[in-house]
Amino acid sequence: MDKASICPRCGCRANGPITSGNLRFYLCNTCGNVWSTPFTSPMHHKLPVNVEELITFLKNEKNEAAKTVEKIGLGKLSKVEMSRDRLSILAHLSVNIKPEIVLRPYDVVYYGKSLGVVLNHTGNSLELIFDASKRLQEKDELMVSEPLILYDSALSIISDRAKDHGRHLRIFIDLQTQGYVSELKELGEKQQILNKYDLDKEKMQIVSEIISLPKLDYMVIEGPPGTGKTMTIAAAACEIAERGGNVLITSHTNVAVDNALERIVDLNPNLKDKVARIGHPAKISKKVKPLIERQTREETREEWLERLLKQKRIIGMTIAKLAVMDYAYGLQAVSEKLSKWPTFDYVFMDESSMIPLGIAIIPIYYSSRWIIVGDTKQLPPIIKTKHRYIGSWSIMELATASTPDKSRMLSVQRRGNSTIFELISRLFYGGALRHEERTSTSKLELRLKPTHSWVDEVLNPDHIISWLQIEDGIMDWCKIKRGKIEGASGVNTAEAAAGFKVYELLVRSGLEISEIAVITTYRAQANLIREAIKKANITKDEPIVASLYDGMKSEKSDETIEEDIERTDSASILDLRIAETVDSYQGREKPCIIYSLTNHMPHVALQDYRRINVAVTRAKSKLIIVSSLTTFHTLPWLMVIKNNSHIVNIRTSHIREEFEYINELNKYMCGR
């Protein structure tokens, strides 16, 4: 008998397991207990991985990404200049581009078959940087597909350059290399840090271990929601910089990079002049914009990068921008010229549970110590190809599985009410989370006017988790189009109506819109609720509404299509920006979360517990789940959350006015 199937509470045999992601769940029918145990697939690989499988994965992903390449216009060469360092050419083009397309510096554009990087785009003029070896046609098509440069960069590193320059990659890939590594800076053994950043003992110990890490070694920091991953990254980066080390802060998303840089500048303002951000202002938070470093007209790429690497201690950029620096700006050549290879003493890869090994190779290549930060119980990588080659596994899961002794866990959550987080701790983290006293009792402060209806129960601040069950709610499919892909996304007008009403009453009860976020399972549901709130003029500002699931149902079959468009909505879940813009970034959590499950039956979108974990742990003081689900037998984590909630049952007749309004709006939006 499987010992894991014995209920730890009553000792009876349990049903299960139900496998979801990296956990197995068991349900005891005798006492109702639900628990989970770690699950490692028989196909789960360990480091170092097979290089040929890694290359196959990258080529397959590149081929899939190439299918989504979008033609945006036509270009005609007007002038071509060779850079002073003769490593690149600057092409001036007159262009006819779709009016809705805005190209920004560092964006990647294909001119015909040649990959270029945008330097400037104004009206009908476009300036692109190309490798000096490229031969450009006088006229050609302009196309965009930024993810391709990630695969081009990674393939170039593994297939071409690692043999002579990537000896340090052997920890992660079974490479036969003869290359060199510059004399690496030792920051000292068993470094002690002063607690000038008001760290708790747990974080002080981890930061001390980070700055004492020997060269060519890595460390994994597992940080459940609200446990201070960003604080740990920032404190360690400040300590390394003060000791003369160079740090790269990177992630898949701009928000994660900005979050860390903001905290670094807050912790140690004296380091501000030593911190740089690479990226376009439109994608960077207001607070981090002053840190942006741009190449001047007088500088070559080489001169700009030399200046940057000589003057700055901490540099932040997304992995996509690092790929641009690698593939189009010659970062490796500049680093070697400065006798600094690898370029950085440390790289901090945040949200690394979302970063597949194949892409993580890019920041790994450019550093000599690797700090892998994230939460394996939250969102995994999005992979286009169905076959799970080794490169598709997240760098975090691979590193954790290979060397558990290198993993450290942050365990004190300071985000929200313990009613929410203790439940999540028991379900997903083996009960390991502890709760800071100051935040563990947080509640909403509302100016409620009694309505003597279901609303009073749902909004009651003493009910930390409210479960609003709509007995006659049904999900339907709504046609949507993303790029060239057409499909269908889920809409539940009953849940949308209930969520809309709850949102409206929360605002009337005194909550600011920056304190509320609506999360849905499907994109179409998010679009519907967002539009309903805007048209009703509940607020002058943009409501915060985001979806968890990127999949669409194919119009031609029941097959699910998933895209990898830098996960616009998933990134929004992780940062909950207003209007999904960085300028109005408000933080990764909200006092109140309204979560519409959307589907009335179990679906693949709900069957990964990690999506549920992401949604639920955005809430600090109040979680309102709107549900039409009729069965939970394959979703034990949702069953437990419901059983630990204050349950309110309604029908659409209780929200007749809102239901009619939402249905009319849905007919318009879905073209029905």
Side-chain angles (χ1 to χ4, degrees):
M1 181 183 294
D2 181 7
K3 291 182 179 180
S5 66
I6 303 301
C7 178
R9 181 186 294 172
C10 71
C12 295
R13 179 76 180 269
N15 289 339
I18 294 173
T19 302
S20 176
N22 50 17
L23 290 180
R24 277 181 165 166
F25 292 83
Y26 297 85
L27 168 64
C28 178
N29 289 330
T30 304
C31 69
N33 187 28
V34 173
W35 67 98
S36 62
T37 60
F39 169 68
T40 301
S41 167
M43 294 298 293
H44 206 301
H45 302 269
K46 292 187 177 182
L47 301 173
V49 304
N50 180 272
V51 65
E52 294 303 326
E53 282 201 33
L54 192 60
I55 290 172
T56 300
F57 161 74
L58 289 167
K59 287 181 176 179
N60 288 348
E61 289 292 292
K62 180 182 176 181
N63 290 338
E64 288 298 315
K67 295 177 184 178
T68 64
V69 169
E70 180 183 358
K71 178 181 174 182
I72 60 170
L74 296 171
K76 180 179 180 181
L77 280 177
S78 56
K79 184 180 179 182
V80 177
E81 301 175 77
M82 181 69 72
S83 65
R84 292 206 306 273
D85 56 22
R86 308 196 68 78
L87 293 174
S88 61
I89 53 176
L90 174 61
H92 301 262
L93 294 93
S94 57
V95 295
N96 182 10
I97 293 178
K98 294 177 181 179
E100 68 271 19
I101 298 295
V102 178
L103 297 176
R104 304 182 177 98
Y106 307 113
D107 282 349
V108 177
V109 175
Y110 280 86
Y111 179 64
K113 295 183 179 180
S114 298
L115 179 71
V117 177
V118 175
L119 184 63
N120 187 43
H121 176 212
T122 307
N124 294 326
S125 298
L126 177 64
E127 296 177 352
L128 296 175
I129 300 171
F130 295 91
D131 184 89
S133 64
K134 300 299 180 184
R135 297 292 177 263
L136 306 178
Q137 300 297 317
E138 183 180 353
K139 295 180 181 180
D140 224 324
E141 293 181 336
L142 291 164
M143 295 166 287
V144 292
S145 182
E146 183 163 347
L148 286 179
I149 199 169
L150 289 167
Y151 310 123
D152 285 333
S153 174
L155 284 167
S156 172
I157 289 169
I158 297 169
S159 301
D160 302 329
R161 290 176 278 159
K163 181 179 179 180
D164 296 324
H165 303 276
R167 179 164 58 88
H168 54 299
L169 293 182
R170 289 185 295 186
I171 296 173
F172 301 93
I173 313 171
D174 60 350
L175 288 169
Q176 299 299 317
T177 61
Q178 304 295 326
Y180 77 97
V181 175
S182 302
E183 186 65 29
L184 296 175
K185 191 178 299 179
E186 290 287 4
L187 301 182
E189 296 181 1
K190 296 183 179 179
Q191 290 280 0
Q192 298 298 314
I193 65 169
L194 299 174
N195 194 10
K196 53 191 171 186
Y197 305 125
D198 194 28
L199 303 178
D200 58 34
K201 289 183 180 179
E202 184 178 68
K203 291 185 181 65
M204 282 188 65
Q205 175 62 32
I206 291 174
V207 171
S208 180
E209 290 185 48
I210 290 172
I211 61 177
S212 302
L213 195 69
K215 59 186 179 182
L216 304 184
D217 201 358
Y218 66 86
M219 184 174 175
V220 179
I221 302 174
E222 180 94 26
T227 54
K229 294 187 293 291
T230 303
M231 182 66 173
T232 305
I233 292 171
C238 287
E239 288 292 321
I240 294 164
E242 286 191 334
R243 287 167 165 78
N246 299 92
V247 177
L248 171 64
I249 306 287
T250 193
S251 179
H252 252 345
T253 65
N254 282 288
V255 175
V257 175
D258 289 348
N259 233 17
L261 295 185
E262 286 180 16
R263 190 66 61 88
I264 287 167
V265 173
D266 286 343
L267 286 182
N268 194 335
N270 293 331
L271 279 175
K272 187 173 183 179
D273 291 339
K274 297 293 184 181
V275 181
R277 178 70 159 94
I278 295 177
H280 190 274
K283 299 181 179 181
I284 294 174
S285 72
K286 186 175 182 180
K287 191 170 181 178
V288 174
K289 277 185 172 67
L291 304 177
I292 295 174
E293 282 290 334
R294 295 185 179 88
Q295 179 183 353
T296 66
R297 287 281 180 177
E298 293 74 29
E299 289 179 309
T300 64
R301 292 180 306 168
E302 183 177 4
E303 290 167 343
W304 174 65
L305 284 173
E306 277 192 37
R307 172 172 62 84
L308 203 63
L309 296 178
K310 286 178 179 178
Q311 295 180 359
K312 305 301 179 179
R313 292 292 182 195
I314 301 172
I315 298 177
M317 66 183 108
T318 63
I319 299 177
K321 291 300 175 281
L322 179 61
V324 171
M325 294 298 106
D326 169 67
Y327 199 73
Y329 275 65
L331 178 57
Q332 179 177 336
V334 173
S335 301
E336 291 174 348
K337 179 182 178 182
L338 297 175
S339 299
K340 177 61 178 173
W341 184 251
T343 311
F344 300 98
D345 298 303
Y346 283 81
V347 60
F348 288 82
M349 285 182 278
D350 198 7
E351 294 175 356
S352 59
S353 71
M354 297 173 62
I355 304 174
L357 174 64
I359 299 303
I361 286 300
I362 304 169
I364 288 172
Y365 185 60
Y366 276 96
S367 181
S368 56
R369 298 172 183 86
W370 310 280
I371 311 301
I372 301 164
V373 188
D375 182 0
T376 54
K377 307 301 192 298
Q378 296 208 20
L379 295 172
I382 299 179
I383 304 301
K384 299 181 184 72
T385 48
K386 290 184 178 181
H387 186 88
R388 295 211 68 187
Y389 283 101
I390 180 59
S392 67
W393 293 94
S394 82
I395 178 61
M396 187 166 193
E397 288 221 53
L398 284 167
T400 302
S402 301
T403 50
D405 59 307
K406 295 180 183 293
S407 183
R408 304 291 182 269
M409 182 175 179
L410 296 165
S411 62
V412 182
Q413 77 83 18
R414 295 172 170 81
R415 175 172 293 177
N417 194 289
S418 60
T419 300
I420 298 169
F421 285 87
E422 181 57 27
L423 189 59
I424 293 305
S425 176
R426 287 193 288 109
L427 271 173
F428 306 141
Y429 297 97
L433 293 187
R434 293 174 289 143
H435 315 285
E436 186 190 50
E437 186 176 350
R438 181 172 52 87
T439 56
S440 64
T441 58
S442 63
K443 294 182 181 180
L444 288 185
E445 294 183 6
L446 299 175
R447 300 189 300 271
L448 290 173
K449 295 181 180 179
T451 63
H452 307 291
S453 70
W454 61 269
V455 173
D456 296 346
E457 292 187 70
V458 171
L459 298 189
N460 188 338
D462 291 330
H463 302 321
I464 305 303
I465 308 177
S466 293
W467 186 287
L468 181 57
Q469 184 71 29
I470 305 176
E471 296 176 351
D472 55 347
I474 296 177
M475 193 193 82
D476 201 356
W477 295 100
C478 174
K479 289 184 179 180
I480 62 172
K481 183 176 181 180
R482 299 211 297 267
K484 296 189 294 184
I485 299 177
E486 294 186 0
S489 181
V491 166
N492 187 320
T493 55
E495 286 190 23
F500 167 78
K501 185 175 182 68
V502 168
Y503 185 97
E504 181 181 31
L505 292 172
L506 284 169
V507 173
R508 288 183 182 177
S509 299
L511 276 192
E512 300 291 333
I513 68 158
S514 61
E515 297 176 305
I516 315 167
V518 180
I519 298 175
T520 71
T521 300
Y522 296 92
R523 183 184 297 250
Q525 182 82 343
N527 292 343
L528 179 59
I529 295 175
R530 184 187 300 110
E531 193 65 17
I533 294 170
K534 290 165 66 174
K535 284 187 175 296
N537 295 318
I538 295 174
T539 172
K540 295 180 181 179
D541 299 312
E542 187 83 6
I544 307 168
V545 186
S547 62
L548 272 175
Y549 186 59
D550 288 301
M552 299 190 301
K553 181 181 176 183
S554 171
E555 286 291 277
K556 297 179 180 178
S557 68
D558 287 334
E559 181 183 0
T560 297
I561 304 168
E562 289 204 48
E563 295 183 81
D564 188 15
I565 311 176
E566 200 202 304
R567 238 179 160 151
T568 307
D569 279 348
S570 295
S572 301
I573 289 297
L574 292 170
D575 58 58
L576 294 180
R577 303 175 233 177
I578 293 179
E580 298 179 5
T581 62
V582 190
D583 282 339
S584 48
Y585 171 71
Q586 297 292 314
R588 293 179 170 231
E589 62 278 336
K590 298 296 172 190
C592 183
I593 293 293
I594 303 168
Y595 178 24
S596 169
L597 296 178
T598 313
N599 212 314
H600 63 282
M601 294 292 289
H603 181 265
V604 64
L606 298 173
Q607 287 170 349
D608 190 334
Y609 80 90
R610 291 170 291 195
R611 287 193 181 96
I612 310 302
N613 189 21
V614 168
V616 169
T617 55
R618 299 311 100 188
K620 295 170 66 176
S621 303
K622 178 76 172 178
L623 172 65
I624 302 171
I625 296 179
V626 184
S627 167
S628 303
L629 275 174
T630 56
T631 180
F632 296 86
H633 70 279
T634 61
L635 308 169
W637 46 91
L638 280 175
M639 183 186 71
V640 172
I641 294 172
K642 181 180 181 182
N643 290 343
N644 284 271
S645 304
H646 182 81
I647 303 171
V648 178
N649 294 291
I650 66 169
R651 298 184 65 83
T652 51
S653 58
H654 293 96
I655 47 173
R656 182 174 288 108
E657 183 179 340
E658 293 80 9
F659 189 51
E660 290 175 355
Y661 166 59
I662 291 290
N663 272 314
E664 286 301 314
L665 183 59
N666 186 52
K667 288 178 184 178
Y668 168 75
M669 294 184 66
C670 284
R672 292 174 180 164

